[in-house]
Amino acid sequence: MAANKDMFLWWGSGSPPCWKPMLVLAEKEMWEGLPNKLISFDKKENKEADILAANPRGQVPTFKDGSLVVNESNAICMYLEEKYSNDSNRLLPVDVEKRSQVYWRMFESGNIQSNITVPIVYLIWNTKPEDRNQAELDEKFTKAKEELGYWERTLTGRSYLVGDRFTMADVFFYPFVAFLVRLGATLREFPALKQYYDLISQRPTVQATWPPHWKEGSTAPILAAL
Amino acid sequence: MAANKDMFLWWGSGSPPCWKPMLVLAEKEMWEGLPNKLISFDKKENKEADILAANPRGQVPTFKDGSLVVNESNAICMYLEEKYSNDSNRLLPVDVEKRSQVYWRMFESGNIQSNITVPIVYLIWNTKPEDRNQAELDEKFTKAKEELGYWERTLTGRSYLVGDRFTMADVFFYPFVAFLVRLGATLREFPALKQYYDLISQRPTVQATWPPHWKEGSTAPILAAL
């Protein structure tokens, strides 16, 4: 499919919101050869003119398909799914009841961000150790474990979040889990989630879109308690 | 349409995530007569057995359509739209390119939550005045105004967020704006946003689903600076 030659994706390495549309593109065999720019957050390249022209917020992912601009990772994923699916690469079930269950898990995934990434990861990245309140941090880790517990129960006895195949629910959820593991989460208390992580990590489309800088070495294991 | 007699919605008054599916139901003339339960957050009724059986997180909205459970406000809205639309009440354009622009604004709306509600409203609700750092709070209000500025620019010269009619983008966005106004935001620096708020507020479906306790009196205007 050559449709991807008219596309352009600005993305950041290791950003779960960027990884989601990249996974959708890979699942549709449209990622390879797609014009794109890996931006550096350190150099604030997301605030450069080419991105700002398409996305006033200066965020990635920013996406164009010809002259059509679509921003917001969820919106890009929905657009790609609705425009470029066929029966062999569909990530949303055709049946409306089954699809509702995929939507449920897609949007429930945001709880990883609001219950773990924002309150713990961003806090640790943005504060000095001496400025942190350990009791408060412990409480946040307890809540983070509750969050992972919901997913452990959902995944127990299953290979995928919904049904018996990879869906948009996995596209939305997996990058958040991989991000936690990258930051040291062992998932030792969550065996079904760990098994899920190991399975999906081997998926060729996941490997083809793996964050490049994650291959270069590890980082501080700030989530080792998870 | 009698399909709503098999439905059940648990909801909380004034919760933007609850208001969204209620608006979709009202737009489809399915809200009136729909079996539902208005729960009290103060009494923690969202943690009662009937909700927990359908939604382990104990959150509202929790929704059932016959034996089908759908949770997460975004997922409920998508399900209702896909299952119960006709040409006169469609909230997502049929054209895939036009629909992508509605998706963009639907999901961009979440920035109101992450840039205003969580950092300012929840902070003020959950801390004593003497425990707040005024300089930090001022900085958060500056960022909140930046957030509203994005929407002001999007809405300038327009009656609706996308195209020339009410869409799912407005369903997702308006309840967040109304929530800010309820908490004292005057929008004086954002005339297009204020005009939008005034227009949508008059919509019959908005009036029919207006948070009941908002009719009983005002609350502390903690967002008067906005």
Side-chain angles (χ1 to χ4, degrees):
Chain A
M1 196 179 293
N4 67 354
K5 294 299 175 201
D6 288 332
M7 296 179 175
F8 202 94
L9 182 77
W10 290 265
W11 59 290
S13 177
S15 146
C18 293
W19 204 350
K20 288 156 56 179
M22 290 164 68
L23 267 173
V24 174
L25 288 160
E27 290 287 330
K28 304 200 182 303
E29 296 178 33
M30 296 175 77
W31 173 242
E32 200 184 319
L34 187 141
N36 70 87
K37 182 177 178 183
L38 167 57
I39 64 102
S40 160
F41 292 111
D42 289 341
K43 296 181 189 163
K44 295 194 194 299
E45 289 178 340
N46 50 314
K47 301 297 180 189
E48 290 186 356
D50 54 349
I51 291 187
L52 287 174
N55 187 345
R57 291 179 181 268
Q59 292 175 336
V60 286
T62 284
F63 177 73
K64 290 182 75 171
D65 186 358
S67 61
L68 182 77
V69 175
V70 188
N71 289 317
E72 295 293 326
S73 63
N74 294 355
I76 303 169
C77 291
M78 287 299 292
Y79 167 73
L80 291 169
E81 176 67 15
E82 295 185 345
K83 177 127 186 188
Y84 296 105
S85 289
N86 60 46
D87 285 343
S88 67
N89 65 21
R90 212 173 285 287
L91 295 166
L92 288 175
V94 172
D95 177 82
V96 71
E97 277 82 16
K98 286 184 187 154
R99 194 156 65 235
S100 73
Q101 305 302 292
V102 176
Y103 286 140
W104 174 355
R105 302 307 175 187
M106 283 164 59
F107 297 117
E108 188 181 1
S109 298
N111 285 294
I112 302 270
Q113 183 85 356
S114 53
N115 290 331
I116 305 181
T117 310
V118 172
I120 298 180
V121 177
Y122 293 174
L123 178 81
I124 292 178
W125 282 354
N126 296 326
T127 58
K128 295 175 195 163
E130 60 269 28
D131 291 341
R132 289 172 212 148
N133 178 324
Q134 191 58 45
E136 273 178 21
L137 200 55
D138 289 347
E139 196 182 321
K140 288 172 198 281
F141 269 104
T142 299
K143 283 189 184 167
K145 287 190 182 183
E146 279 172 28
E147 177 60 38
L148 295 180
Y150 287 121
W151 297 102
E152 176 68 13
R153 286 186 287 281
T154 298
L155 284 165
T156 297
R158 317 187 63 87
S159 296
Y160 301 101
L161 273 176
V162 182
D164 55 5
R165 49 182 291 203
F166 187 83
T167 70
M168 195 68 91
D170 303 298
V171 168
F172 275 45
F173 178 65
Y174 172 83
F176 283 123
V177 180
F179 181 78
L180 303 183
V181 172
R182 163 73 180 171
L183 296 178
T186 63
L187 308 178
R188 76 181 81 80
E189 296 173 39
F190 309 98
L193 182 54
K194 176 69 166 65
Q195 190 169 36
Y196 171 87
Y197 170 76
D198 289 340
L199 172 77
I200 306 291
S201 295
Q202 295 164 24
R203 194 167 177 90
T205 56
V206 169
Q207 285 299 316
T209 53
W210 194 261
H213 83 281
W214 290 9
K215 294 175 185 161
E216 291 164 13
S218 59
T219 187
I222 60 176
L223 299 181
L226 296 182
Chain B
M1 195 180 293
N4 68 354
K5 294 299 175 204
D6 288 331
M7 296 179 175
F8 202 94
L9 182 76
W10 289 264
W11 59 289
S13 178
S15 147
C18 293
W19 204 351
K20 287 156 56 179
M22 290 164 68
L23 268 174
V24 175
L25 288 160
E27 291 286 330
K28 302 196 183 306
E29 296 177 35
M30 296 174 77
W31 173 243
E32 200 185 319
L34 187 141
N36 70 87
K37 182 177 177 183
L38 168 56
I39 64 101
S40 159
F41 291 111
D42 289 340
K43 296 181 188 163
K44 293 192 195 300
E45 289 177 340
N46 50 314
K47 301 298 180 189
E48 289 185 357
D50 53 350
I51 291 187
L52 287 174
N55 187 344
R57 290 179 182 268
Q59 292 175 336
V60 286
T62 284
F63 178 72
K64 290 182 76 169
D65 186 358
S67 60
L68 182 77
V69 175
V70 188
N71 289 317
E72 296 293 326
S73 64
N74 294 356
I76 302 169
C77 291
M78 288 299 294
Y79 167 73
L80 291 169
E81 177 67 15
E82 295 185 346
K83 177 127 186 188
Y84 295 106
S85 290
N86 59 47
D87 285 343
S88 66
N89 66 22
R90 213 173 285 286
L91 296 166
L92 288 174
V94 172
D95 177 82
V96 72
E97 276 82 16
K98 286 184 186 155
R99 194 156 65 236
S100 73
Q101 304 303 292
V102 176
Y103 286 141
W104 173 355
R105 302 307 175 187
M106 283 164 58
F107 297 117
E108 188 180 1
S109 298
N111 285 295
I112 302 269
Q113 182 85 357
S114 53
N115 290 331
I116 305 181
T117 311
V118 172
I120 298 180
V121 178
Y122 292 174
L123 177 82
I124 292 178
W125 282 354
N126 296 324
T127 58
K128 295 175 195 162
E130 60 268 29
D131 291 342
R132 290 173 211 149
N133 178 324
Q134 191 58 44
E136 273 178 22
L137 200 56
D138 290 346
E139 196 181 322
K140 289 173 199 280
F141 270 104
T142 300
K143 283 189 184 167
K145 286 189 182 182
E146 281 173 27
E147 177 60 38
L148 295 180
Y150 288 120
W151 297 102
E152 177 69 12
R153 286 186 289 280
T154 299
L155 284 165
T156 297
R158 317 187 63 88
S159 297
Y160 301 100
L161 274 175
V162 183
D164 55 5
R165 50 182 289 204
F166 187 83
T167 69
M168 194 69 91
D170 303 298
V171 168
F172 275 45
F173 178 65
Y174 172 83
F176 283 122
V177 180
F179 181 78
L180 303 183
V181 172
R182 163 72 179 171
L183 296 177
T186 64
L187 308 179
R188 75 182 82 80
E189 295 173 39
F190 310 97
L193 183 54
K194 175 69 165 66
Q195 191 168 35
Y196 171 87
Y197 170 77
D198 289 341
L199 172 77
I200 306 292
S201 295
Q202 294 164 27
R203 196 169 174 87
T205 57
V206 169
Q207 286 299 316
T209 53
W210 195 260
H213 83 281
W214 289 10
K215 294 175 186 163
E216 292 164 14
S218 59
T219 187
I222 59 176
L223 298 182
L226 295 182

